[in-house]
């Protein structure tokens, strides 16, 4: 078996509006509807709609031999419902071909697996309901945690929820001499299969494609095919995992990214012995080669491939801890609006904006942040959280 597994993360957060201290207690509307709508429509035009159409044409052209998979966060699905129903329809059309797999994840694109198993299960159930609602009862078999965050314990929780497999990062410090181009199993629950991202080949497309200072620029189809053919023949699966916004948003149309993707499947069929598979097909057809031991959580972010993009500095940890101190209060109050805001406040992007890293990773964080500084992101978030706490206390008092 020699196959390629394309996985695309599709996510947009609900961004907070500028929320000042003196608004606490008076304004319970936290979300920047103008920015969220505009960004969704911009990305829809530049990425989602043209790329979905391209993938649909490729699936039809190759009679289903070309396959991909998506993980659509609950927050992006909510935004598609509100701002861009034509985008949601285009994803439904792709899934209806039978050659596109959907993955389960946390509804709010949350870091809750690191804090609360109960909330983690609730978030996964909410996301599954959302997928079933929009995609004709579809029930995902494979899981993708927020930002590919994975550890032995997280994998064990996912296995208990009945999933066959999980996606994660092929981090060097975890793999050592091992290759990411095989199927592994969770070290606690071996029934859970683990697919690991080939970060070099994935990032050549996702991050380096349009970088003119890269020594291998420009990345042509022939060059990429050459790299694939250099992969040892015994390697079974090349997992190409990336943000879907790579196409047209992070890598602009002018870089040639759409033409590259249009030509790639045909070149792979003609010039290599690779096929295309979805994660479920990889899990079904490839035998695991052993356990992967991940005692400390890994992710697909930054050079370290750890959690420091979201957690670790004083700002991030204070905000994250304060948020999850409220879990029991939120669930006792049983208010749909409060619970919705609670889910959206968990979205990992809020903590990403508070990252204080420097150099190349810091530049990436600054690119995605709507704030002038991590400190501004923290203050804005904590102002919102202060109001949210007041609402919770008022809801508890009303129930008493």
């Amino acid at each position: 078996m020699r196959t390629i597994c394309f996985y695309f993360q599709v996510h947009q957060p609900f961004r907070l509006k500028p929320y000042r201290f003196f608004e606490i207690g008076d304004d319970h509307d936290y979300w920047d509807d103008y920015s969220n709508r505009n960004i969704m429509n911009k990305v829809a035009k530049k990425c989602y709609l043209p790329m979905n159409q391209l993938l649909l044409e490729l699936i039809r052209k190759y009679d289903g031999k070309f396959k991909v998979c998506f993980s659509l966060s609950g927050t992006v699905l909510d935004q598609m419902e509100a701002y861009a129903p034509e985008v949601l329809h285009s994803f439904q059309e792709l899934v209806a071909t039978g050659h596109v797999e959907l993955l389960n994840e946390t509804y709010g694109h949350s870091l809750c697996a690191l804090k609360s198993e109960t909330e983690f299960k609730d978030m996964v159930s909410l996301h599954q309901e959302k997928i079933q609602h929009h995609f004709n009862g579809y029930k995902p078999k494979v899981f993708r945690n927020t930002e590919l965050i994975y550890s032995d314990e997280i994998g064990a929780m996912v296995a208990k929820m009945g999933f066959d497999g999980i996606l994660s990062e092929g981090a060097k410090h975890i793999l050592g001499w091992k290759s990411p181009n095989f199927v592994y199993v969770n070290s606690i629950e071996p029934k859970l299969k683990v697919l690991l991202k080939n970060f070099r080949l994935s990032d050549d497309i996702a991050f380096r494609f349009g970088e003119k200072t890269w020594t291998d620029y420009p990345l042509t189809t022939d060059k990429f095919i050459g790299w694939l053919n250099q992969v040892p023949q015994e390697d079974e699966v090349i997992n190409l995992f990336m943000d879907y916004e790579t196409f047209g948003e992070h890598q602009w149309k002018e870089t040639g990214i759409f033409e590259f993707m249009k030509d790639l499947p045909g070149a792979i069929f003609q010039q290599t012995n690779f096929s295309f598979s979805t994660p479920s097909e990889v899990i079904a057809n490839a035998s695991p080669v052993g356990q992967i031991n991940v005692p400390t959580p890994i992710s697909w972010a930054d050079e370290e491939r750890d959690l420091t993009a979201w957690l670790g500095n004083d700002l991030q940890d204070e905000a994250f801890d304060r948020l999850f101190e409220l879990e029991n209060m939120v669930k006792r109050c049983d208010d749909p609006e409060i619970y919705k805001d609670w889910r959206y406040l968990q979205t990992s992007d809020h903590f990403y904006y508070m990252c204080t890293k420097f150099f190349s990773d810091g530049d990436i964080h600054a690119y995605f942040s709507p704030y002038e500084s991590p400190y501004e992101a923290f203050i804005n978030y904590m102002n919102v959280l202060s109001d949210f706490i007041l609402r919770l206390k008022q809801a508890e008092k009303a129930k008493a």
Side-chain angles (χ1 to χ4, degrees):
M1 175 183 177
R2 298 259 291 173
T3 198
I4 293 169
C5 179
F6 261 117
Y7 150 72
F8 303 120
Q9 171 182 289
V10 187
H11 168 63
Q12 292 293 332
F14 277 92
R15 297 160 190 85
L16 294 167
K17 68 182 183 183
Y19 194 93
R20 291 165 290 185
F21 176 80
F22 62 79
E23 294 174 293
I24 297 171
D26 292 325
D27 185 0
H28 307 319
D29 180 12
Y30 309 138
W31 312 107
D32 191 340
D33 185 70
Y34 179 81
S35 290
N36 292 325
R37 179 187 299 272
N38 281 357
I39 292 171
M40 169 54 74
N41 287 328
K42 181 190 74 167
V43 179
K45 183 178 180 180
K46 294 178 68 176
C47 170
Y48 300 151
L49 291 174
M51 192 59 185
N52 282 2
Q53 182 60 37
L54 175 57
L55 293 182
L56 186 63
E57 291 171 0
L58 289 172
I59 289 169
R60 290 171 174 168
K61 179 178 181 179
Y62 297 107
D63 296 323
K65 293 179 181 179
F66 175 69
K67 306 169 185 181
V68 299
C69 86
F70 291 103
S71 182
L72 298 100
S73 68
T75 58
V76 83
L77 287 170
D78 285 348
Q79 291 193 40
M80 288 177 190
E81 288 177 10
Y83 310 135
E86 71 280 9
V87 175
L88 179 57
H89 176 74
S90 68
F91 278 106
Q92 291 168 332
E93 191 174 11
L94 276 172
V95 174
T97 66
H99 305 293
V100 173
E101 181 170 2
L102 294 178
L103 307 183
N104 218 146
E105 62 162 275
T106 60
Y107 186 97
H109 202 74
S110 168
L111 304 174
C112 55
L114 303 169
K115 201 73 168 177
S116 168
E117 184 172 0
T118 300
E119 179 64 8
F120 185 45
K121 290 178 179 177
D122 288 348
M123 276 277 195
V124 174
S125 295
L126 285 168
H127 187 266
Q128 187 160 291
E129 291 171 9
K130 193 77 171 179
I131 291 295
Q132 289 177 318
H133 172 72
H134 282 303
F135 295 94
N136 199 28
Y138 192 104
K139 188 173 182 180
K141 300 176 182 178
V142 178
F143 189 78
R144 195 271 336 190
N145 196 24
T146 304
E147 311 297 353
L148 295 191
I149 292 173
Y150 174 80
S151 69
D152 297 333
E153 291 186 0
I154 291 173
M157 288 192 289
V158 170
K160 289 177 185 176
M161 286 187 269
F163 292 99
D164 297 332
I166 188 170
L167 274 55
S168 190
E169 172 69 35
K172 287 181 181 179
H173 67 280
I174 292 298
L175 282 169
W177 57 268
K178 297 177 182 177
S179 167
N181 303 332
F182 294 95
V183 177
Y184 294 89
V185 298
N186 177 263
S187 63
I188 298 174
E189 293 285 353
K191 65 181 179 181
L192 184 81
K193 309 302 188 299
V194 183
L195 302 185
L196 300 175
K197 171 186 163 187
N198 184 309
F199 70 83
R200 186 182 72 81
L201 291 175
S202 298
D203 292 354
D204 285 343
I205 299 173
F207 293 106
R208 292 182 282 273
F209 186 88
E211 180 53 64
K212 293 183 179 180
T213 60
W214 180 34
T215 55
D216 285 304
Y217 179 86
L219 179 55
T220 63
T221 302
D222 286 343
K223 190 177 294 183
F224 198 78
I225 291 295
W227 293 340
L228 288 174
N229 283 329
Q230 291 172 15
V231 173
Q233 286 297 311
E234 62 269 20
D235 289 15
E236 294 187 314
V237 56
I238 306 295
N239 293 311
L240 300 176
F241 300 168
M242 62 199 72
D243 286 333
Y244 198 41
E245 294 79 12
T246 293
F247 302 93
E249 174 64 12
H250 303 162
Q251 304 293 338
W252 291 3
K253 178 182 178 181
E254 290 75 13
T255 65
I257 190 74
F258 288 102
E259 288 77 8
F260 173 83
M261 196 64 193
K262 180 179 180 181
D263 295 339
L264 187 62
I268 286 173
F269 288 133
Q270 293 171 13
Q271 300 175 44
T272 78
N273 60 355
F274 283 98
S275 63
F276 290 93
S277 299
T278 64
S280 288
E281 291 173 336
V282 173
I283 288 168
N285 296 323
S287 299
V289 296
Q291 296 181 352
I292 189 75
N293 296 294
V294 188
T296 303
I298 59 174
S299 76
W300 70 350
D302 297 348
E303 185 66 28
E304 300 90 347
R305 281 0 190 227
D306 59 10
L307 303 181
T308 53
W310 308 276
L311 298 174
N313 71 35
D314 291 342
L315 307 178
Q316 294 167 322
D317 292 348
E318 171 70 11
F320 189 65
D321 290 344
R322 287 289 300 279
L323 178 68
F324 274 91
E325 286 171 1
L326 307 175
E327 180 181 356
N328 291 333
M329 289 179 67
V330 170
K331 293 180 177 177
R332 283 198 304 268
C333 83
D334 195 29
D335 182 316
E337 285 301 309
I338 285 178
Y339 196 18
K340 182 185 75 171
D341 286 343
W342 156 257
R343 293 196 302 264
Y344 290 169
L345 284 169
Q346 289 184 46
T347 300
S348 66
D349 303 65
H350 303 307
F351 308 99
Y352 189 86
Y353 303 148
M354 301 176 200
C355 186
T356 53
K357 290 184 179 181
F358 297 98
F359 306 114
S360 60
D361 286 340
D363 291 340
I364 293 172
H365 286 258
Y367 171 81
F368 287 106
S369 178
Y371 300 97
E372 291 294 324
S373 72
Y375 308 99
E376 182 184 317
F378 172 75
I379 291 168
N380 202 66
Y381 186 87
M382 296 306 287
N383 284 344
V384 168
L385 197 59
S386 295
D387 183 81
F388 185 73
I389 291 170
L390 289 178
R391 288 170 62 199
L392 278 176
K393 290 179 178 178
Q394 291 168 358
E396 281 211 325
K397 188 182 294 186
K399 286 189 70 174

